[in-house]
Amino acid sequence: MSNEVQEYLKLCQKNNIQPNEDVVAALKLAGETGELDLSRKTLSSWTWETLARIISSSMNIKTLKLSDCLIPPRGMTSLLASLSHDCSIESLDLRGNAMQANNVANLGALLRQNCVLKRLSLEWNSTGVFIDAFSQLCEGLATNSTLEVLDMKNNQLPPEAGQCLSSALKRNTCLRTLDLRWNNLQWKGGNFLHEAMQINETVTKIKLTGNCMSDELVRSIEQCAEHNSSKERLRKDCEMKTDFLKRHLRRLEEERTSEVQELSRSNEMRIREVIRDSESRVNQLESVLSERASTINMLQDRLTTMDKTLREQQEKKENLQNIIDDKDKMYEQLVEEGNKQKQEFQKKLAEKEEEIRSMIMEYEFKLAAEINSRKQVETEVSTQLEEMKRLAAENLQLNETLKTVRKKHQDSLEEERKINQELLVQIEKKCEEKLSQHEVELTLVRAKYQNQVRTLEQSKEEMERNMADLRSQLSRERIQWQDDLASAQQQAKSREIARMAQYEEKINSLREEKTSLEKQLALSHSTMTQLQQQNSSLVAELGEPQRKLSQLHEELSTERVAAQRLRAELSESASRLEAKKQESEKLQRQLEDLQKTVTELTAVQTSREKEHTREVDKLQTLLAQREREIQNVRADEVERAGVLYSAFSKYLGGLSPSAGVSQTSLRA
């Protein structure tokens, strides 16, 4: 059992009233479906008051159907009072309830205070009989912000009710459909509604059959509603297109950011690999140098031992001088060979230095070419900015021209309205004078009256002919306006498509430039690897003189073994060995200098690579900024196109054939 049924039964027990089975069944269904249907049920005023309490406190009931119930006035007032407060009712059906003046005014209070109701049906209620109460209902409709559907068929609405409805429609901004069939609004009320529909922009469907007004006026009012519906469709289409473009742009931005991140990650990985390789090579060189220092220490120890042996063998010096002279000659030959090898090694070092300098010049030339390409990209970006400024200026000029044309047509329309009003006043005065004359003459002469009727019929036929001509002219003008509108839409669409194609071509060119820059980066990385290979070859070439030095040391060791036998040779060879030591130290110093130069070259190369990566990052950030600016300009152009299209549609709506129809009807 639902809460609504429990409340109803409690109230019946308090007041000692037997509950109604139909009401209990309807409340049970309402608790399940959210729809309370009591149509064609005649109930007492007390039951309606209790139902009003239940409805105001319930949150399950969404729709309320009370058609053909003939609710008493007290029950209707309590129901409307409960609905005027915040409740959950979204659809209310009050057809065929013979509402009184007070309840019609209460309906106005309901519409003024309720913020949930969306559908209201008041068919067969004769609300137009009480014009003052109906004006209050229209005031509530004017301030309402939720009602979307209003049904007022067969309510005996007079022409004055049309004036009240027009004032409400001018201020209302939420009503979508309005049903006014089978009333008595007549030509006067139709004109008021026509004026209101020219101002209102939310009503998309209005029904006016059976109101004693011309078909042309009904068509013009319905065309205004159709114009509002087409505007809503265009607005929804624009919103859908803008959402689609925003999503597409977000996807493009995400793809570009992912590409940039991948490039930065790959560059970082390559730089880290290069640094690791260089560190490993430096460690290898340090290990080689430590081994060489250990070998030098071993040689020094051997020299000390040899000095001791030399002191012991100084006594044999005198007997072996001739042998020492021969050995001196052999040693001089060896020295000459060592000098020749030294000169060849110096020549090779000079050639390598020249090759390194040429490589440095080539890299500087490539850096200059990259700087020139960067300048070209900046110039292209500046040209794109100038084009965007020019497009913005063209849009401003188009806006100004549209404003001027709109002002001119508005002024002309106001002048025509004033002239038509003056003509109406003059025609009304003449008609009143003629009517007074005819009333005096009717009693006297009927024959004259018949003749005047004939003349009036002839004039009527002429006026009908004129009206047919005016209708044909209006149809022609309408066709011309439609053709102009279609051509303007096609031109605007073609311009937008061309601009989008230009921007896509520019984006593709920027992507190609990006790929070329990436290729240049790959070339620079390949050149770095080549330089590293050359450095390794240089290190290998430096190992050859070390081998030669080791061979010389071996020859010296053989000579020292012979010097043990020959004291004189060893005494003089000791001094020469000291000279050889000095020369070996010089060679080691030269090797250290070469290693320092190699490290400096690697440091310079790494710094240049870092500068190159920084420049590439700057170019990538500039490209991202330019792409964002292009996207912002696209969004601005789309918004401006939407604004221009809406303004143009409003302008065409102001110049629509409905205005011409109203003017011709006024002249008639």
Side-chain angles (χ1 to χ4, degrees):
M1 190 178 288
S2 62
N3 295 323
E4 291 83 5
V5 176
Q6 290 177 0
E7 272 190 49
Y8 178 69
L9 294 173
K10 285 179 183 178
L11 291 169
C12 289
Q13 286 178 1
K14 280 184 183 180
N15 294 303
N16 294 320
I17 294 171
Q18 188 175 0
N20 193 344
E21 293 178 356
D22 294 330
V23 174
V24 172
L27 288 171
K28 285 181 181 178
L29 286 172
E32 294 174 359
T33 61
E35 180 179 350
L36 182 59
D37 191 357
L38 293 171
S39 56
R40 296 177 183 177
K41 300 281 191 310
T42 55
L43 302 172
S44 63
S45 59
W46 181 86
T47 55
W48 289 114
E49 288 175 357
T50 54
L51 286 171
R53 290 181 187 176
I54 292 164
I55 290 164
S56 63
S57 62
S58 176
M59 297 301 289
N60 296 320
I61 300 170
K62 301 292 182 183
T63 60
L64 187 61
K65 290 184 179 180
L66 304 175
S67 61
D68 300 324
C69 290
L70 294 173
I71 301 169
R74 193 174 71 184
M76 182 64 76
T77 53
S78 61
L79 273 171
L80 295 175
S82 65
L83 292 171
S84 63
H85 300 292
D86 290 332
C87 60
S88 61
I89 301 297
E90 294 179 357
S91 177
L92 179 61
D93 190 357
L94 294 173
R95 289 180 293 175
N97 280 297
M99 297 177 73
Q100 298 296 323
N102 294 324
N103 291 323
V104 174
N106 290 325
L107 275 173
L110 185 148
L111 293 173
R112 195 181 298 110
Q113 295 174 3
N114 195 338
C115 297
V116 180
L117 190 64
K118 292 182 180 179
R119 297 177 67 88
L120 178 61
S121 179
L122 298 173
E123 187 180 357
W124 293 101
N125 276 300
S126 301
T127 57
V129 176
F130 314 104
I131 195 66
D132 294 330
F134 186 79
S135 65
Q136 293 179 6
L137 189 149
C138 291
E139 288 177 0
L141 179 64
T143 58
N144 193 353
S145 62
T146 56
L147 190 67
E148 294 179 356
V149 180
L150 179 60
D151 188 359
M152 297 186 75
K153 293 193 293 288
N154 292 310
N155 272 274
Q156 297 182 9
L157 298 177
E160 293 81 5
Q163 187 176 3
C164 297
L165 281 170
S166 68
S167 63
L169 291 174
K170 287 176 183 177
R171 290 186 287 167
N172 193 347
T173 59
C174 64
L175 193 65
R176 295 287 182 272
T177 60
L178 180 62
D179 195 350
L180 297 172
R181 288 178 290 177
W182 309 110
N183 286 303
N184 194 16
L185 292 172
Q186 295 182 1
W187 177 76
K188 190 175 180 182
N191 284 324
F192 285 123
L193 287 173
H194 187 264
E195 290 178 359
M197 287 300 296
Q198 286 179 352
I199 295 168
N200 193 347
E201 294 180 357
T202 57
V203 176
T204 58
K205 191 174 181 182
I206 188 167
K207 296 178 182 179
L208 293 168
T209 55
N211 275 291
C212 297
M213 62 177 73
S214 62
D215 294 332
E216 294 174 355
L217 187 58
V218 173
R219 286 176 188 171
S220 63
I221 295 167
E222 289 177 352
Q223 283 177 0
C224 292
E226 290 176 357
H227 183 66
N228 290 330
S229 66
S230 64
K231 272 197 221 174
E232 281 192 354
R233 288 173 187 169
L234 288 169
R235 183 175 60 78
K236 289 179 181 178
D237 291 333
C238 290
E239 288 177 356
M240 292 288 287
K241 288 177 181 178
T242 51
D243 291 331
F244 178 75
L245 288 170
K246 285 178 181 177
R247 290 173 184 172
H248 186 63
L249 291 170
R250 285 174 185 172
R251 288 175 185 172
L252 289 172
E253 286 179 356
E254 289 175 356
E255 289 176 357
R256 286 170 184 165
T257 51
S258 64
E259 287 176 359
V260 171
Q261 287 176 358
E262 287 178 357
L263 286 170
S264 63
R265 287 173 184 172
S266 62
N267 290 322
E268 286 178 357
M269 291 294 288
R270 289 174 183 174
I271 290 163
R272 287 175 183 175
E273 287 177 357
V274 170
I275 290 164
R276 286 173 185 173
D277 293 332
S278 62
E279 287 178 352
S280 63
R281 287 174 182 173
V282 169
N283 291 321
Q284 288 176 2
L285 290 169
E286 287 178 353
S287 63
V288 170
L289 288 171
S290 62
E291 288 176 357
R292 287 175 184 172
S294 63
T295 53
I296 288 163
N297 291 320
M298 291 291 288
L299 289 169
Q300 286 178 357
D301 294 330
R302 288 178 183 178
L303 285 170
T304 53
T305 55
M306 291 297 289
D307 288 330
K308 290 178 181 178
T309 56
L310 284 170
R311 288 174 185 175
E312 291 176 354
Q313 292 178 359
Q314 282 178 0
E315 295 177 355
K316 297 179 180 180
K317 184 178 179 181
E318 295 176 355
N319 295 320
L320 298 170
Q321 287 180 356
N322 294 320
I323 297 166
I324 288 166
D325 292 331
D326 295 329
K327 295 291 180 181
D328 287 332
K329 289 178 182 180
M330 292 291 290
Y331 184 73
E332 286 176 358
Q333 290 177 359
L334 290 169
V335 169
E336 287 177 359
E337 289 178 358
N339 290 321
K340 287 179 182 180
Q341 290 177 358
K342 191 176 182 181
Q343 288 175 359
E344 290 177 356
F345 181 69
Q346 287 177 355
K347 286 179 182 179
K348 288 180 180 179
L349 285 172
E351 290 175 356
K352 292 293 180 182
E353 286 178 355
E354 288 178 357
E355 288 179 357
I356 289 164
R357 287 175 184 172
S358 63
M359 292 293 289
I360 289 163
M361 292 294 287
E362 288 179 359
Y363 282 115
E364 287 179 352
F365 181 72
K366 287 180 180 178
L367 284 170
E370 287 178 356
I371 289 162
N372 291 322
S373 64
R374 182 181 175 185
K375 289 180 180 178
Q376 288 177 1
V377 170
E378 288 178 352
T379 54
E380 288 178 357
V381 170
S382 64
T383 54
Q384 288 176 3
L385 287 170
E386 289 177 356
E387 287 180 359
M388 296 300 290
K389 289 179 181 177
R390 183 174 61 76
L391 290 170
E394 289 179 358
N395 286 322
L396 290 170
Q397 289 178 0
L398 286 169
N399 287 321
E400 290 177 356
T401 53
L402 284 169
K403 286 179 181 178
T404 54
V405 170
R406 185 178 178 184
K407 286 181 180 178
K408 288 180 182 178
H409 285 289
Q410 285 179 355
D411 295 332
S412 63
L413 284 169
E414 287 178 356
E415 289 177 357
E416 287 180 357
R417 284 178 184 173
K418 289 179 181 178
I419 292 163
N420 289 321
Q421 287 178 358
E422 291 176 356
L423 288 170
L424 278 170
V425 172
Q426 291 176 3
I427 289 163
E428 285 177 356
K429 288 180 181 178
K430 288 179 182 179
C431 288
E432 288 176 356
E433 291 174 359
K434 285 180 181 179
L435 285 169
S436 63
Q437 290 176 3
H438 285 303
E439 285 175 356
V440 173
E441 291 175 356
L442 275 171
T443 57
L444 299 172
V445 181
R446 290 181 181 179
K448 290 181 181 179
Y449 180 76
Q450 290 176 356
N451 292 321
Q452 288 176 0
V453 167
R454 287 174 185 174
T455 55
L456 286 169
E457 285 177 354
Q458 291 175 0
S459 64
K460 185 179 179 181
E461 290 175 355
E462 290 177 355
M463 291 294 288
E464 286 176 352
R465 290 172 185 173
N466 292 322
M467 288 289 289
D469 294 329
L470 288 169
R471 285 175 186 172
S472 63
Q473 289 178 1
L474 284 168
S475 63
R476 291 171 186 171
E477 288 178 356
R478 188 183 295 168
I479 292 162
Q480 289 178 359
W481 279 112
Q482 289 176 356
D483 293 330
D484 293 331
L485 199 150
S487 63
Q489 287 178 353
Q490 288 177 359
Q491 289 176 1
K493 287 180 181 178
S494 62
R495 287 176 184 172
E496 287 179 358
I497 291 162
R499 287 175 183 172
M500 291 292 286
Q502 289 177 0
Y503 286 129
E504 286 176 354
E505 289 176 357
K506 290 177 183 178
I507 288 162
N508 290 321
S509 64
L510 289 169
R511 284 178 180 171
E512 290 174 356
E513 289 175 359
K514 187 178 178 182
T515 54
S516 65
L517 288 169
E518 288 176 354
K519 288 177 181 178
Q520 290 177 3
L521 279 168
L523 288 169
S524 64
H525 286 300
S526 64
T527 52
M528 278 185 67
T529 54
Q530 289 176 3
L531 285 170
Q532 289 173 359
Q533 289 175 0
Q534 289 176 2
N535 286 324
S536 63
S537 65
L538 285 170
V539 171
E541 288 175 358
L542 288 169
E544 291 179 357
Q546 292 175 358
R547 290 174 185 174
K548 290 178 180 179
L549 284 169
S550 63
Q551 289 176 2
L552 289 169
H553 285 299
E554 288 175 358
E555 289 176 356
L556 286 170
S557 64
T558 55
E559 287 177 357
R560 285 169 186 170
V561 170
Q564 287 178 1
R565 298 175 182 176
L566 301 168
R567 293 177 182 176
E569 288 178 355
L570 289 171
S571 62
E572 290 179 356
S573 64
S575 62
R576 289 174 182 176
L577 283 169
E578 288 177 355
K580 288 284 184 181
K581 283 181 185 180
Q582 292 177 359
E583 288 177 356
S584 65
E585 287 176 357
K586 288 180 181 179
L587 289 170
Q588 286 178 357
R589 289 173 185 173
Q590 288 178 359
L591 285 170
E592 289 175 356
D593 293 329
L594 288 170
Q595 288 175 357
K596 286 179 181 179
T597 54
V598 169
T599 53
E600 288 176 356
L601 287 170
T602 53
V604 170
Q605 194 171 0
T606 52
S607 65
R608 285 180 181 175
E609 286 176 356
K610 287 179 181 178
E611 289 177 356
H612 191 270
T613 53
R614 287 174 185 172
E615 289 178 355
V616 170
D617 292 330
K618 287 180 182 178
L619 287 171
Q620 287 176 356
T621 53
L622 285 170
L623 285 170
Q625 288 177 0
R626 297 303 179 191
E627 286 173 354
R628 288 174 185 172
E629 290 176 356
I630 288 163
Q631 289 171 3
N632 291 323
V633 170
R634 277 186 183 173
D636 293 331
E637 284 183 354
V638 169
E639 289 178 357
R640 288 175 182 172
V643 172
L644 286 170
Y645 186 76
S646 64
F648 194 66
S649 62
K650 284 181 181 178
Y651 170 67
L652 290 174
L655 295 174
S656 63
S658 62
V661 172
S662 65
Q663 289 176 8
T664 53
S665 63
L666 288 168
R667 287 176 184 173

